Amino acid sequence: MSTITKVTKAVFPVAGLGTRFLPATKSVAKELLPIVDKPLIQYAVEEAVAAGIDTMIFITGRSKNAIIDHFDKAYELETELENKNKTELLALLRSIVPPNVSFVFIRQPEPLGLGHAVACAKPVIGDEPFAVILADDLVEDATRGCMAQMVKLYDEQHCSILAVERVNPADTGSYGIVRTGESSGTHAPIELIVEKPKPEVAPSNLAVIGRYILTPAIFDKLATTERGAGGEIQLTDAIADLLKDQQVLAFEFEGTRYDCGSKLGFLIANVEHGLLHKELKDDFLVYLKNLMQKLS
Ligand code: UTP
């Protein structure tokens, strides 16, 4: 049993192949694709920082070195901006690496699945609860972020927590789907979890999204998890095993999720963020209105 009860570490699995975004992702990491002008992975790290997390553990793979560079100091660029007196841009650049935050990079030798990627973090996590953030699910709310909401719940409940949302029943085959017991407002105990069930056999339409808090007991489960859906070692299967020993909660977070792992979700996120962007919003709105007129 873990004696450390605070969530201070987050795992960012970024070693997937990103096949749905080929050819863009042949040599560029999916997690570096920008929503307007900020890469997905930076939104994810900012969400973790807002939740009080100070150790960011990236599980990287082939073609992902630019992610490491993104969170490194860019001396030449900083000097160049300094020389040109571009102070605002310089501050923006420096803010990418928040103060008092450590970055750890672990290589996943082969993309054997999300469960396998999370298992790669074990030597750094040790015997602590930890967060898992999938950067291609961009989640935003009006306050401190989805992970901050989850950490707050963890501090009260001290058990694994999965963020969930209702999806179109026809789409259950794209998600881990849970059946829950009696709800206590925002959260409910998970009774059953299955990976990518077809709609006709899905236990509900409550889908797990890319935010988890897990107890370290998950590592023992992952060690014995066999390849499941898609021939991959699935985190969902290890969580199903964990459920036999420990409570796992489904948490209906406040906020909006953009599925930026899909092209449509990525486009929607860009349009909506373009309409909020302080430099672009007015011109972009005029453009969209004109476009709608032309199309109608
Ligand atoms: P996805 O299911 O979105 O897979 O992985 P993917 O490879 O990124 O993208 P597609 O489906 O081929 O387009 C969910 C998350 O798990 C990570 C991915 O980087 C993504 O953040 N992952 C997946 C790994 O880190 N390693 C793996 O072996 C598989």
Side-chain angles (χ1 to χ4, degrees):
M1 185 70 186
S2 171
T3 47
I4 299 171
T5 51
K6 271 194 90 59
V7 180
T8 63
K9 295 175 178 168
V11 176
F12 300 85
V14 294
L17 298 177
T19 53
R20 282 171 291 170
F21 271 93
L22 282 169
T25 46
K26 185 180 175 208
S27 61
V28 173
K30 171 173 75 174
E31 298 78 7
L32 282 177
L33 297 178
I35 302 303
V36 186
D37 51 11
K38 196 195 289 187
L40 282 167
I41 192 68
Q42 196 180 322
Y43 286 92
V45 166
E46 287 173 1
E47 186 183 325
V49 171
I53 289 168
D54 62 15
T55 306
M56 313 295 167
I57 304 160
F58 291 77
I59 311 299
T60 73
R62 197 194 137 267
S63 306
K64 304 284 178 162
N65 290 346
I67 294 179
I68 302 177
D69 293 341
H70 187 74
F71 292 101
D72 203 356
K73 199 171 165 70
Y75 286 104
E76 311 86 74
L77 196 51
E78 286 193 15
T79 311
E80 199 64 26
L81 293 174
E82 235 161 1
N83 290 345
K84 290 186 173 152
N85 240 344
K86 297 200 167 171
T87 44
E88 250 182 65
L89 274 181
L90 187 63
L92 182 82
L93 192 68
R94 287 184 173 153
S95 70
I96 296 173
V97 183
N100 308 318
V101 167
S102 310
F103 290 85
V104 180
F105 299 94
I106 298 175
R107 187 89 171 189
Q108 185 186 19
E110 272 182 89
L112 295 178
L114 177 59
H116 182 259
V118 170
C120 291
K122 185 180 175 193
V124 180
I125 300 286
D127 193 26
E128 296 180 30
F130 62 100
V132 177
I133 299 185
L134 306 187
D136 55 0
D137 264 341
L138 172 59
V139 187
E140 286 181 323
D141 72 345
T143 57
R144 287 177 58 212
C146 180
M147 189 47 71
Q149 296 172 40
M150 293 175 73
V151 167
K152 184 166 176 282
L153 182 61
Y154 179 85
D155 288 344
E156 293 158 13
Q157 302 287 332
H158 301 284
C159 66
S160 295
I161 301 167
L162 317 185
V164 295
E165 78 174 7
R166 300 238 168 242
V167 295
N168 183 336
D171 294 337
T172 56
S174 303
Y175 295 93
I177 299 289
V178 299
R179 188 185 74 215
T180 53
E182 200 182 333
S183 167
S184 317
T186 60
H187 58 276
I190 296 177
E191 294 173 345
L192 178 72
I193 181 167
V194 270
E195 183 64 13
K196 300 188 168 69
K198 292 196 174 113
E200 53 278 20
V201 292
S204 76
N205 67 338
L206 210 48
V208 178
I209 65 132
R211 299 291 182 277
Y212 309 73
I213 290 178
L214 297 168
T215 59
I218 196 70
F219 291 122
D220 286 342
K221 303 301 180 188
L222 283 167
T224 54
T225 303
E226 304 205 333
R227 287 178 190 237
E232 297 191 335
I233 296 174
Q234 297 288 353
L235 183 58
T236 301
D237 294 343
I239 293 171
D241 208 5
L242 187 67
L243 267 182
K244 294 174 194 158
D245 305 341
Q246 295 186 356
Q247 169 160 272
V248 180
L249 294 176
F251 171 60
E252 290 198 63
F253 61 97
E254 269 175 44
T256 306
R257 177 182 72 101
Y258 299 92
D259 174 12
C260 298
S262 79
K263 287 174 200 166
L264 181 61
F266 179 75
L267 284 177
I268 291 171
N270 267 296
V271 170
E272 291 195 10
H273 284 74
L275 287 169
L276 292 173
H277 194 281
K278 62 179 189 319
E279 288 156 24
L280 300 175
K281 59 182 181 189
D282 296 336
D283 291 346
F284 190 45
L285 183 60
V286 171
Y287 162 75
L288 283 180
K289 280 184 174 162
N290 287 342
L291 182 67
M292 290 312 294
Q293 246 167 12
K294 259 194 240 166
L295 293 176
S296 60

